[in-house]
Amino acid sequence: MNSIRPSSRLPGLLLAALALAAAPAFAEGPSAVVGPVHLPPDVAALPVEQAVLASPPHVPPPITRRTPARVVVNLEVKEVTKRIADGTEYTFWTYGGTVPGSFIRIRAGDVVEFHLNNHPSSKLPHNIDLHAVTGAGGGAASTFTAPGHSSQFTFKALNPGLYVYHCATAPVPMHIGNGMYGLILVEPEEGLPPADKEYYVMQGDFYANGAYAGGGLQTFDTPKSIDEHPTYVLFNGAVGSLVGDNALTAEVGQRVRLFFGVGGPNLTSSFHVIGEIFDKVWLEGGNRVAQENVQTTLVPAGGSTIVDFKVEVPGTFILVDHSLSRAFNKGAIGMLKVSGAADRVVYSGKEVDAVYLGSAAEAGSVAAKRQDELEQKIAAEIKANPAIAGLAKEVRIEKGKQVYMQNCFACHLPSGEGMAGVFPPLAKSDFLQADRERAIRIVLKGLSGPVTVNGQTYNGVMPPQGEVLNPEQIADVLTYVTNSWGNSAEPFTVDEVRKVKGE
Amino acid sequence: MSRLRCAFLRLPRLLLALIGAALAAGGAAPRGGEAMATIPAGVYRPVSRATTDPETVAVAAFRLDALPVTNAEFLAFVVAHPRWRRSRVSPLFADETYLRHWAGDTELGPLAPPDAPVVNVSWFAARAYARAEGRRLPLLAEWELAAAAGYATPRGRDEPDFNRDLYAWLARPTPDVLPAVSSARPNIHGARGLHGLVWEWVDDFDTAMVTGESRADAARDQNLFCGGAAAAASDPGDYAAFMRQALRSSLKARQGTASLGFRCAADLSPP
């Protein structure tokens, strides 16, 4: 409607009057005040209790009753200026004065009478959408409340799980970006398994009109929010809210449970606790353990998870969003300090701190010398054992054959017979077998000038192979040629080759 | 949003129209013409609207108070019109928050400096004041057109310092004691404090109603955009416009808040 003159609305009035006559009031839509619900006798007869709300990082105690109740929740919306980082304040919009808002704990089957009270100093109207609510908007329309006013609605908790609640008033990214979110736990009827410590942590992204810890009073920056470029990514609404004296605590042997949620408005968390493994994960805050032994669990914006882990050893365990620029540069860091006796088998702590010189250590270090000694011992053992020595020689011959068939066969031929008058033979060669060192030297450095082999003179050129083949390959190929085609000799060693090479 | 709810609001308004003539006698002297700014004709583009509504609304040139109504001015009004005093006002026209920050019926007290904008006034009371002055409340389109102007140009959204001041104010809670109206910086038309002092009633505030479930409104081709669909929003980046729309939608005509005041308007050439 954009009528310029109020008087133009008369037809609307008539129309509405007709509608009023034709339809019950609740048909009008969720924003209208429809009056208190008439509870059926069995619900009206339920015991009434005030919900115990807890401020982060604390959680209300487990629910011990095993029957439903009518639970009255009173939640106050308040806009407050508080520290976001050292020397820097921010104007937060909160449920209950904290970011995240008060933790609400109820039991599946409970009927909840919910009151949202918007403080008179609030600049804006606010409402609440509880993901635990089955009903259009999750309560958003029914709780839309002007500054200085209060709204009430009733819902039945049908589904157990850990649920996010948040403000759904436009512009929603700003309301959530200023801290308007929290968690409501709907315990299963049988309750959750016991834990020694329960804590409440929520991650949120903040878009400030200034730099990270830039000092002074900061407020919401709309363009940064639209671009999804947060200034801060925080656990529990401030840099350091879970650090130092504010750290979560536990003792060795205890089972720790974290109720973890992500308010957003935009970012998803890769939630991780450094040095711990989540024994159990109620994935996405559902009502059963979906996975065990999890390192990092993904928590969507507007979603949650429950993680359990037993702390086995003392120390400080760091909570992070493993998208680590957020942890390193934007504040997403928390701490769990575990005290108690060390178990050095589970985790020893640093056992040794020694000098390490990298590759420069090879020649001189104690370890390198010891390794050389052992290798020489192995070589001696192999030599002394005929069976092993034979096998070792066969290995060298096989490897040497491969070298020969790539580098030598073109002249000396695969049969080792050479070419009469041009390339001297290797098969049954007296020249080859007469002098081991000479053979090595010829392979390494080549040969030119006349030689006599098996009574025939050759006067050609053999190119040197010392730059082409390494000492091991030379030893292998010589072992091959001196043990093939009727030749027989001790295997050539790398040391023999090196000795000649070093001349 | 509910046409039915509109009707609930409008019914008392008709009653008021009948009563209004009786109340109008004997108002305080109107502020001089120099106290009013002239807002040139222009076009208002609602941030969101029903698909059956036009995209733009033409607004004729009009006059608007340069400043919101102060506690001192409203005190003069209730002195002259005892039925609008806190102790006597009809609960039909004002709820229990009416002038709650005043020390007494005709006593301002420490929370209500004379030169600060009056707040905790209902739409009915604001409208009665304007009538007593021989003027009226601005229409929503008029107010938005005037408030779109920046310090130096007719389009404040393009001025960095204007945006900075606007969002800084929107993000801050309301102080216990409001500043003097004269502290506000004038916009290019000479109107001060359209942003930065208090929210202000408009005559047809209830046409901006949303359900309170901002995501449902888009689906219903209604006013306010959020999470789901931007289809109904002309400019989903204009957060300040959404906030004003949400604020207006949360109000009922007999309510007031600690940050809601008003100023008067008049046609450029009174008939």
Side-chain angles (χ1 to χ4, degrees), chain A residues 98-149:
Chain A
T98 57
V99 178
S102 304
F103 194 103
I104 305 167
R105 190 165 194 160
I106 58 175
R107 176 183 177 276
D110 286 351
V111 175
V112 179
E113 181 186 296
F114 199 99
H115 300 259
L116 190 72
N117 311 310
N118 193 1
H119 195 273
S121 68
S122 292
K123 184 63 68 63
L124 288 165
H126 298 288
N127 64 6
I128 190 167
D129 168 355
L130 300 120
H131 291 177
V133 169
T134 303
S142 304
T143 55
F144 188 47
T145 308
H149 286 264

Short mmCIF file of all heavy atoms in Angstrom, two decimals, chain A residues 98-149:
data_model
loop_
_atom_site.label_atom_id
_atom_site.label_comp_id
_atom_site.label_asym_id
_atom_site.label_seq_id
_atom_site.Cartn_x
_atom_site.Cartn_y
_atom_site.Cartn_z
N THR A 98 24.31 -10.95 26.75
CA THR A 98 25.57 -11.61 26.38
C THR A 98 25.52 -12.06 24.93
O THR A 98 24.46 -12.22 24.34
CB THR A 98 25.82 -12.85 27.25
OG1 THR A 98 24.71 -13.76 27.11
CG2 THR A 98 25.98 -12.49 28.71
N VAL A 99 26.72 -12.25 24.36
CA VAL A 99 26.86 -12.87 23.04
C VAL A 99 27.70 -14.12 23.23
O VAL A 99 28.84 -14.02 23.67
CB VAL A 99 27.55 -11.92 22.04
CG1 VAL A 99 27.74 -12.62 20.70
CG2 VAL A 99 26.73 -10.66 21.87
N PRO A 100 27.17 -15.30 22.91
CA PRO A 100 25.80 -15.55 22.47
C PRO A 100 24.80 -15.32 23.60
O PRO A 100 25.19 -15.10 24.74
CB PRO A 100 25.85 -17.03 22.05
CG PRO A 100 26.89 -17.62 22.95
CD PRO A 100 27.93 -16.54 23.10
N GLY A 101 23.52 -15.39 23.26
CA GLY A 101 22.48 -15.17 24.25
C GLY A 101 22.38 -16.30 25.25
O GLY A 101 23.07 -17.32 25.16
N SER A 102 21.51 -16.11 26.24
CA SER A 102 21.34 -17.10 27.30
C SER A 102 21.07 -18.49 26.73
O SER A 102 20.32 -18.65 25.77
CB SER A 102 20.17 -16.69 28.20
OG SER A 102 20.37 -15.40 28.70
N PHE A 103 21.67 -19.49 27.37
CA PHE A 103 21.46 -20.89 26.97
C PHE A 103 20.14 -21.35 27.61
O PHE A 103 19.93 -21.21 28.81
CB PHE A 103 22.62 -21.75 27.47
CG PHE A 103 22.68 -23.13 26.86
CD1 PHE A 103 23.59 -23.41 25.86
CD2 PHE A 103 21.83 -24.15 27.29
CE1 PHE A 103 23.67 -24.68 25.29
CE2 PHE A 103 21.90 -25.42 26.73
CZ PHE A 103 22.82 -25.69 25.73
N ILE A 104 19.28 -21.91 26.77
CA ILE A 104 17.97 -22.39 27.24
C ILE A 104 17.99 -23.92 27.18
O ILE A 104 18.42 -24.50 26.18
CB ILE A 104 16.84 -21.84 26.35
CG1 ILE A 104 16.90 -20.31 26.27
CG2 ILE A 104 15.49 -22.30 26.86
CD1 ILE A 104 16.01 -19.72 25.19
N ARG A 105 17.54 -24.56 28.27
CA ARG A 105 17.58 -26.03 28.32
C ARG A 105 16.20 -26.55 28.70
O ARG A 105 15.69 -26.24 29.77
CB ARG A 105 18.61 -26.48 29.35
CG ARG A 105 18.90 -27.97 29.33
CD ARG A 105 20.19 -28.26 30.11
NE ARG A 105 20.68 -29.59 29.84
CZ ARG A 105 21.94 -29.99 30.05
NH1 ARG A 105 22.79 -29.15 30.56
NH2 ARG A 105 22.32 -31.22 29.76
N ILE A 106 15.61 -27.32 27.80
CA ILE A 106 14.29 -27.90 28.06
C ILE A 106 14.34 -29.37 27.67
O ILE A 106 15.39 -29.89 27.28
CB ILE A 106 13.17 -27.16 27.28
CG1 ILE A 106 13.46 -27.19 25.79
CG2 ILE A 106 13.06 -25.72 27.76
CD1 ILE A 106 12.35 -26.59 24.94
N ARG A 107 13.19 -30.03 27.77
CA ARG A 107 13.15 -31.47 27.51
C ARG A 107 12.09 -31.73 26.45
O ARG A 107 11.04 -31.04 26.42
CB ARG A 107 12.79 -32.20 28.81
CG ARG A 107 12.60 -33.70 28.69
CD ARG A 107 12.18 -34.27 30.05
NE ARG A 107 11.91 -35.70 29.98
CZ ARG A 107 10.76 -36.23 29.58
NH1 ARG A 107 9.76 -35.45 29.23
NH2 ARG A 107 10.61 -37.54 29.55
N ALA A 108 12.34 -32.69 25.58
CA ALA A 108 11.36 -33.04 24.55
C ALA A 108 10.02 -33.34 25.21
O ALA A 108 9.96 -34.05 26.21
CB ALA A 108 11.84 -34.24 23.75
N GLY A 109 8.95 -32.78 24.66
CA GLY A 109 7.63 -32.95 25.23
C GLY A 109 7.19 -31.78 26.09
O GLY A 109 5.99 -31.65 26.41
N ASP A 110 8.14 -30.91 26.47
CA ASP A 110 7.77 -29.74 27.27
C ASP A 110 6.91 -28.77 26.44
O ASP A 110 7.10 -28.63 25.23
CB ASP A 110 9.02 -28.99 27.75
CG ASP A 110 9.75 -29.72 28.87
OD1 ASP A 110 9.19 -30.72 29.38
OD2 ASP A 110 10.87 -29.30 29.22
N VAL A 111 6.02 -28.08 27.14
CA VAL A 111 5.25 -27.01 26.52
C VAL A 111 5.82 -25.70 27.06
O VAL A 111 5.85 -25.49 28.28
CB VAL A 111 3.75 -27.14 26.83
CG1 VAL A 111 2.98 -25.94 26.29
CG2 VAL A 111 3.21 -28.44 26.23
N VAL A 112 6.31 -24.85 26.16
CA VAL A 112 7.08 -23.68 26.58
C VAL A 112 6.25 -22.41 26.38
O VAL A 112 5.74 -22.15 25.29
CB VAL A 112 8.39 -23.58 25.77
CG1 VAL A 112 9.18 -22.34 26.20
CG2 VAL A 112 9.22 -24.84 25.96
N GLU A 113 6.12 -21.65 27.45
CA GLU A 113 5.50 -20.32 27.37
C GLU A 113 6.64 -19.32 27.29
O GLU A 113 7.38 -19.13 28.25
CB GLU A 113 4.64 -20.07 28.61
CG GLU A 113 3.94 -18.72 28.61
CD GLU A 113 3.22 -18.50 29.95
OE1 GLU A 113 2.27 -19.25 30.25
OE2 GLU A 113 3.63 -17.58 30.69
N PHE A 114 6.80 -18.73 26.11
CA PHE A 114 7.99 -17.93 25.83
C PHE A 114 7.65 -16.45 25.86
O PHE A 114 6.73 -16.00 25.18
CB PHE A 114 8.55 -18.31 24.45
CG PHE A 114 9.98 -17.91 24.25
CD1 PHE A 114 11.00 -18.83 24.41
CD2 PHE A 114 10.30 -16.61 23.90
CE1 PHE A 114 12.32 -18.46 24.22
CE2 PHE A 114 11.63 -16.23 23.72
CZ PHE A 114 12.64 -17.16 23.88
N HIS A 115 8.42 -15.69 26.65
CA HIS A 115 8.24 -14.23 26.73
C HIS A 115 9.48 -13.55 26.19
O HIS A 115 10.59 -13.80 26.67
CB HIS A 115 8.04 -13.78 28.18
CG HIS A 115 6.84 -14.39 28.85
ND1 HIS A 115 5.66 -13.72 29.02
CD2 HIS A 115 6.64 -15.64 29.36
CE1 HIS A 115 4.78 -14.51 29.62
NE2 HIS A 115 5.35 -15.68 29.83
N LEU A 116 9.30 -12.70 25.19
CA LEU A 116 10.42 -11.90 24.68
C LEU A 116 10.19 -10.45 25.10
O LEU A 116 9.18 -9.84 24.74
CB LEU A 116 10.53 -12.00 23.16
CG LEU A 116 11.81 -11.39 22.60
CD1 LEU A 116 13.01 -12.28 22.93
CD2 LEU A 116 11.71 -11.21 21.09
N ASN A 117 11.13 -9.92 25.87
CA ASN A 117 11.00 -8.59 26.44
C ASN A 117 12.05 -7.67 25.83
O ASN A 117 13.25 -7.88 26.02
CB ASN A 117 11.20 -8.65 27.97
CG ASN A 117 10.35 -9.74 28.60
OD1 ASN A 117 9.15 -9.83 28.35
ND2 ASN A 117 10.98 -10.61 29.40
N ASN A 118 11.60 -6.67 25.08
CA ASN A 118 12.53 -5.76 24.41
C ASN A 118 12.74 -4.52 25.27
O ASN A 118 11.81 -3.75 25.53
CB ASN A 118 11.97 -5.37 23.03
CG ASN A 118 13.01 -4.68 22.16
OD1 ASN A 118 14.15 -4.51 22.56
ND2 ASN A 118 12.60 -4.29 20.96
N HIS A 119 13.97 -4.34 25.75
CA HIS A 119 14.28 -3.27 26.71
C HIS A 119 13.90 -1.90 26.14
O HIS A 119 14.06 -1.65 24.94
CB HIS A 119 15.78 -3.30 27.04
CG HIS A 119 16.14 -2.51 28.24
ND1 HIS A 119 16.42 -1.18 28.19
CD2 HIS A 119 16.23 -2.86 29.54
CE1 HIS A 119 16.69 -0.73 29.40
NE2 HIS A 119 16.59 -1.74 30.25
N PRO A 120 13.43 -0.99 27.01
CA PRO A 120 13.03 0.34 26.51
C PRO A 120 14.15 1.11 25.81
O PRO A 120 13.87 1.93 24.95
CB PRO A 120 12.59 1.06 27.79
CG PRO A 120 12.24 -0.01 28.75
CD PRO A 120 13.12 -1.18 28.43
N SER A 121 15.40 0.83 26.16
CA SER A 121 16.49 1.57 25.53
C SER A 121 16.84 1.03 24.15
O SER A 121 17.70 1.60 23.47
CB SER A 121 17.73 1.53 26.42
OG SER A 121 18.25 0.21 26.48
N SER A 122 16.20 -0.04 23.73
CA SER A 122 16.53 -0.60 22.41
C SER A 122 16.20 0.41 21.32
O SER A 122 15.17 1.08 21.36
CB SER A 122 15.74 -1.88 22.16
OG SER A 122 16.17 -2.91 23.02
N LYS A 123 17.06 0.46 20.33
CA LYS A 123 16.82 1.35 19.21
C LYS A 123 15.77 0.76 18.27
O LYS A 123 15.05 1.48 17.59
CB LYS A 123 18.13 1.60 18.48
CG LYS A 123 18.10 2.57 17.32
CD LYS A 123 17.73 3.97 17.74
CE LYS A 123 18.72 4.72 18.60
NZ LYS A 123 20.01 4.99 18.01
N LEU A 124 15.68 -0.56 18.27
CA LEU A 124 14.91 -1.23 17.23
C LEU A 124 13.95 -2.27 17.80
O LEU A 124 14.13 -2.75 18.91
CB LEU A 124 15.86 -1.96 16.28
CG LEU A 124 16.67 -1.06 15.36
CD1 LEU A 124 17.81 -1.83 14.77
CD2 LEU A 124 15.79 -0.48 14.28
N PRO A 125 12.95 -2.63 16.99
CA PRO A 125 12.16 -3.82 17.32
C PRO A 125 13.00 -5.07 17.06
O PRO A 125 13.90 -5.05 16.22
CB PRO A 125 10.99 -3.74 16.33
CG PRO A 125 11.52 -3.01 15.15
CD PRO A 125 12.53 -2.02 15.71
N HIS A 126 12.72 -6.12 17.80
CA HIS A 126 13.42 -7.39 17.61
C HIS A 126 12.42 -8.53 17.73
O HIS A 126 11.28 -8.34 18.19
CB HIS A 126 14.52 -7.56 18.67
CG HIS A 126 15.60 -6.52 18.60
ND1 HIS A 126 16.54 -6.47 17.60
CD2 HIS A 126 15.87 -5.45 19.42
CE1 HIS A 126 17.36 -5.44 17.81
NE2 HIS A 126 16.96 -4.80 18.90
N ASN A 127 12.85 -9.72 17.34
CA ASN A 127 12.04 -10.91 17.54
C ASN A 127 12.96 -12.11 17.71
O ASN A 127 14.18 -11.95 17.86
CB ASN A 127 11.03 -11.10 16.39
CG ASN A 127 11.71 -11.33 15.05
OD1 ASN A 127 12.93 -11.46 14.96
ND2 ASN A 127 10.92 -11.39 14.00
N ILE A 128 12.40 -13.32 17.73
CA ILE A 128 13.24 -14.50 17.88
C ILE A 128 12.67 -15.64 17.05
O ILE A 128 11.46 -15.87 17.04
CB ILE A 128 13.39 -14.91 19.38
CG1 ILE A 128 14.46 -15.99 19.54
CG2 ILE A 128 12.06 -15.36 19.96
CD1 ILE A 128 14.88 -16.21 20.99
N ASP A 129 13.57 -16.26 16.30
CA ASP A 129 13.25 -17.47 15.55
C ASP A 129 14.04 -18.58 16.21
O ASP A 129 15.27 -18.62 16.14
CB ASP A 129 13.65 -17.30 14.08
CG ASP A 129 13.63 -18.59 13.28
OD1 ASP A 129 13.40 -19.67 13.87
OD2 ASP A 129 13.86 -18.53 12.06
N LEU A 130 13.33 -19.48 16.92
CA LEU A 130 14.00 -20.63 17.55
C LEU A 130 13.89 -21.82 16.61
O LEU A 130 12.78 -22.23 16.25
CB LEU A 130 13.33 -20.95 18.89
CG LEU A 130 13.34 -19.84 19.95
CD1 LEU A 130 11.92 -19.47 20.32
CD2 LEU A 130 14.14 -20.24 21.17
N HIS A 131 15.04 -22.35 16.22
CA HIS A 131 15.00 -23.49 15.31
C HIS A 131 14.39 -24.72 15.97
O HIS A 131 14.09 -25.70 15.30
CB HIS A 131 16.41 -23.79 14.81
CG HIS A 131 16.96 -22.74 13.88
ND1 HIS A 131 18.23 -22.80 13.36
CD2 HIS A 131 16.40 -21.61 13.38
CE1 HIS A 131 18.44 -21.75 12.57
NE2 HIS A 131 17.35 -21.00 12.58
N ALA A 132 14.22 -24.67 17.28
CA ALA A 132 13.59 -25.79 18.00
C ALA A 132 12.07 -25.76 17.87
O ALA A 132 11.40 -26.70 18.30
CB ALA A 132 13.98 -25.75 19.47
N VAL A 133 11.54 -24.69 17.31
CA VAL A 133 10.09 -24.52 17.24
C VAL A 133 9.56 -25.09 15.94
O VAL A 133 10.11 -24.82 14.86
CB VAL A 133 9.72 -23.03 17.36
CG1 VAL A 133 8.25 -22.80 17.01
CG2 VAL A 133 10.02 -22.53 18.76
N THR A 134 8.50 -25.87 16.04
CA THR A 134 7.79 -26.32 14.86
C THR A 134 6.62 -25.36 14.66
O THR A 134 5.70 -25.32 15.46
CB THR A 134 7.27 -27.75 15.05
OG1 THR A 134 8.39 -28.60 15.35
CG2 THR A 134 6.58 -28.24 13.79
N GLY A 135 6.69 -24.56 13.60
CA GLY A 135 5.67 -23.55 13.36
C GLY A 135 6.25 -22.46 12.50
O GLY A 135 7.47 -22.21 12.54
N ALA A 136 5.42 -21.80 11.72
CA ALA A 136 5.89 -20.83 10.73
C ALA A 136 6.78 -19.79 11.39
O ALA A 136 6.42 -19.16 12.37
CB ALA A 136 4.71 -20.15 10.05
N GLY A 137 7.98 -19.64 10.84
CA GLY A 137 8.89 -18.61 11.33
C GLY A 137 9.58 -18.95 12.63
O GLY A 137 10.37 -18.15 13.12
N GLY A 138 9.28 -20.08 13.21
CA GLY A 138 9.94 -20.45 14.46
C GLY A 138 9.65 -19.50 15.60
O GLY A 138 10.41 -19.40 16.55
N GLY A 139 8.55 -18.77 15.51
CA GLY A 139 8.19 -17.81 16.55
C GLY A 139 8.48 -16.37 16.18
O GLY A 139 8.17 -15.46 16.94
N ALA A 140 9.06 -16.17 14.99
CA ALA A 140 9.51 -14.82 14.62
C ALA A 140 8.36 -13.82 14.61
O ALA A 140 8.44 -12.76 15.24
CB ALA A 140 10.20 -14.85 13.26
N ALA A 141 7.29 -14.13 13.91
CA ALA A 141 6.19 -13.18 13.82
C ALA A 141 5.52 -12.99 15.18
O ALA A 141 5.15 -11.88 15.55
CB ALA A 141 5.18 -13.65 12.78
N SER A 142 5.40 -14.08 15.91
CA SER A 142 4.69 -14.01 17.20
C SER A 142 5.46 -13.23 18.25
O SER A 142 4.90 -12.85 19.27
CB SER A 142 4.43 -15.42 17.72
OG SER A 142 3.71 -16.17 16.75
N THR A 143 6.77 -13.01 18.01
CA THR A 143 7.57 -12.32 19.02
C THR A 143 8.08 -10.97 18.50
O THR A 143 8.97 -10.38 19.12
CB THR A 143 8.79 -13.17 19.43
OG1 THR A 143 9.53 -13.51 18.26
CG2 THR A 143 8.34 -14.43 20.14
N PHE A 144 7.57 -10.48 17.40
CA PHE A 144 8.02 -9.19 16.86
C PHE A 144 7.61 -8.10 17.83
O PHE A 144 6.43 -7.87 18.06
CB PHE A 144 7.38 -8.99 15.49
CG PHE A 144 7.90 -7.79 14.75
CD1 PHE A 144 9.25 -7.52 14.66
CD2 PHE A 144 7.02 -6.93 14.10
CE1 PHE A 144 9.73 -6.43 13.95
CE2 PHE A 144 7.48 -5.83 13.39
CZ PHE A 144 8.83 -5.58 13.31
N THR A 145 8.60 -7.43 18.44
CA THR A 145 8.33 -6.62 19.63
C THR A 145 9.01 -5.26 19.54
O THR A 145 10.23 -5.17 19.34
CB THR A 145 8.88 -7.35 20.89
OG1 THR A 145 8.36 -8.69 20.89
CG2 THR A 145 8.44 -6.64 22.15
N ALA A 146 8.23 -4.22 19.71
CA ALA A 146 8.76 -2.85 19.69
C ALA A 146 9.60 -2.61 20.94
O ALA A 146 9.45 -3.29 21.95
CB ALA A 146 7.60 -1.86 19.64
N PRO A 147 10.50 -1.60 20.88
CA PRO A 147 11.26 -1.24 22.08
C PRO A 147 10.32 -0.95 23.24
O PRO A 147 9.28 -0.30 23.07
CB PRO A 147 12.01 0.03 21.66
CG PRO A 147 12.14 -0.08 20.17
CD PRO A 147 10.89 -0.78 19.71
N GLY A 148 10.66 -1.46 24.42
CA GLY A 148 9.83 -1.22 25.58
C GLY A 148 8.56 -2.03 25.62
O GLY A 148 7.62 -1.70 26.35
N HIS A 149 8.52 -3.13 24.88
CA HIS A 149 7.32 -3.98 24.89
C HIS A 149 7.71 -5.44 25.08
O HIS A 149 8.90 -5.79 25.08
CB HIS A 149 6.52 -3.78 23.61
CG HIS A 149 5.80 -2.47 23.60
ND1 HIS A 149 4.50 -2.32 23.98
CD2 HIS A 149 6.25 -1.22 23.30
CE1 HIS A 149 4.16 -1.04 23.91
NE2 HIS A 149 5.21 -0.35 23.50
#
